[in-house]
Coordinates of all heavy atoms in Angstrom, one line a residue:
D155 N 47.8 116.7 25.7 CA 48.2 116.1 24.4 C 47.8 114.7 24.5 O 48.4 113.8 25.2 CB 49.7 116.1 24.2 CG 50.2 115.6 22.9 OD1 49.7 114.5 22.4 OD2 51.2 116.1 22.3
M156 N 46.7 114.3 23.9 CA 46.0 113.0 24.1 C 47.0 111.8 23.8 O 47.1 110.9 24.5 CB 44.7 112.9 23.4 CG 44.0 111.5 23.5 SD 43.5 111.2 25.3 CE 42.0 112.1 25.3
N157 N 47.5 111.9 22.6 CA 48.4 110.7 22.2 C 49.6 110.6 23.1 O 50.0 109.4 23.4 CB 48.8 110.8 20.7 CG 47.6 110.4 19.9 OD1 46.9 109.5 20.1 ND2 47.4 111.2 18.7
R158 N 50.2 111.7 23.5 CA 51.3 111.6 24.4 C 50.9 111.0 25.7 O 51.6 110.1 26.3 CB 51.9 113.0 24.8 CG 53.0 113.1 25.7 CD 53.5 114.5 26.0 NE 52.5 115.2 26.7 CZ 52.7 116.5 27.1 NH1 53.8 117.2 26.9 NH2 51.7 117.1 27.8
A159 N 49.7 111.3 26.2 CA 49.2 110.7 27.5 C 48.8 109.3 27.3 O 49.1 108.5 28.3 CB 47.9 111.6 27.9
I160 N 48.3 108.9 26.2 CA 48.0 107.6 26.0 C 49.3 106.7 26.0 O 49.3 105.6 26.7 CB 47.3 107.3 24.6 CG1 45.9 107.9 24.7 CG2 47.2 105.9 24.2 CD1 45.2 108.0 23.3
R161 N 50.3 107.1 25.3 CA 51.5 106.4 25.3 C 52.1 106.3 26.7 O 52.6 105.2 27.1 CB 52.6 107.1 24.4 CG 52.2 107.0 22.9 CD 53.4 107.4 22.0 NE 53.8 108.8 22.2 CZ 53.2 109.8 21.6 NH1 52.3 109.7 20.7 NH2 53.6 111.1 21.9
F162 N 52.2 107.4 27.4 CA 52.8 107.4 28.7 C 52.1 106.5 29.7 O 52.7 105.6 30.3 CB 52.8 108.8 29.3 CG 53.4 108.9 30.6 CD1 54.8 109.2 30.8 CD2 52.7 108.8 31.8 CE1 55.3 109.3 32.1 CE2 53.3 108.9 33.1 CZ 54.6 109.1 33.2
H163 N 50.8 106.6 29.8 CA 50.1 105.9 30.9 C 49.9 104.4 30.4 O 50.0 103.5 31.4 CB 48.7 106.5 31.0 CG 48.8 107.8 31.8 ND1 49.0 108.0 33.1 CD2 48.7 109.1 31.2 CE1 49.1 109.2 33.4 NE2 49.0 109.9 32.4
S164 N 49.7 104.1 29.1 CA 49.7 102.7 28.7 C 51.0 102.0 29.0 O 51.0 100.8 29.4 CB 49.3 102.7 27.3 OG 48.0 103.3 27.1
E165 N 52.1 102.7 28.8 CA 53.4 102.0 28.9 C 53.7 101.8 30.4 O 54.3 100.8 30.8 CB 54.5 102.8 28.2 CG 54.4 102.7 26.7 CD 55.6 103.4 26.1 OE1 56.4 104.0 26.7 OE2 55.6 103.4 24.8
A166 N 53.2 102.8 31.2 CA 53.5 102.7 32.7 C 52.8 101.4 33.3 O 53.2 100.8 34.1 CB 53.0 103.9 33.4
Y171 N 48.0 99.8 23.3 CA 47.3 101.1 23.1 C 47.3 101.3 21.5 O 48.1 100.8 20.8 CB 47.9 102.2 23.8 CG 49.2 102.5 23.5 CD1 49.5 103.5 22.5 CD2 50.4 102.0 24.1 CE1 50.9 103.8 22.1 CE2 51.7 102.3 23.7 CZ 51.9 103.2 22.8 OH 53.2 103.5 22.3
E173 N 46.9 105.0 19.1 CA 46.7 106.4 19.1 C 45.4 106.8 18.4 O 44.8 106.1 17.7 CB 48.0 107.0 18.5 CG 49.3 106.8 19.2 CD 50.5 107.6 18.6 OE1 50.3 108.3 17.7 OE2 51.5 107.5 19.2
L195 N 41.3 109.3 30.4 CA 42.2 110.4 29.9 C 41.2 111.4 29.2 O 40.5 111.0 28.3 CB 43.3 109.9 29.0 CG 44.3 108.8 29.5 CD1 45.3 108.5 28.5 CD2 44.9 109.3 30.8

Side-chain angles (χ1 to χ4, degrees):
D155 184 322
M156 181 60 84
N157 284 320
R158 180 182 66 178
I160 291 170
R161 289 192 299 272
F162 180 92
H163 291 281
S164 297
E165 290 184 0
Y171 65 91
E173 296 188 355
L195 304 180

